[in-house]
Amino acid sequence: MHTKDIRQDVVDALDWSKDSFLAAVIKGAFTVPGDGSLDFEAIVQKLADYGYEGWFVVEAEQDPVKAPPLKMAQ
């Protein structure tokens, strides 16, 4: 399982006929886990209900200018 949190309002405003993935990142579509629109508790619970025992990766894809990776990791 691979997830990343999103800001739903930003994603909804994207023009997928023009905006690239990089444009979505720069516009702030993705955020640190728990700051966006995904309900990670519900996701984990649903996976547990299905008996999932594999990897669970949570990615924090953001504009590195606005959120420097080292600072965010600390």
Side-chain angles (χ1 to χ4, degrees):
M1 171 58 85
H2 184 131
T3 64
K4 47 178 110 184
D5 211 347
I6 63 167
R7 293 183 179 101
Q8 191 65 55
D9 58 330
V10 177
V11 171
D12 290 344
L14 293 170
D15 180 349
W16 290 106
S17 68
K18 297 178 185 174
D19 289 322
S20 65
F21 178 80
L22 179 56
V25 171
I26 292 170
K27 290 180 177 186
F30 303 102
T31 186
V32 295
D35 181 53
S37 303
L38 292 186
D39 183 349
F40 283 98
E41 184 176 346
I43 293 169
V44 171
Q45 184 60 57
K46 184 62 81 173
L47 290 170
D49 292 347
Y50 284 118
Y52 182 77
E53 295 182 359
W55 288 84
F56 190 90
V57 177
V58 182
E59 189 174 350
E61 186 106 39
Q62 303 176 85
D63 180 353
V65 174
K66 295 178 184 174
L70 179 59
K71 181 179 177 186
M72 297 309 297
Q74 291 169 333

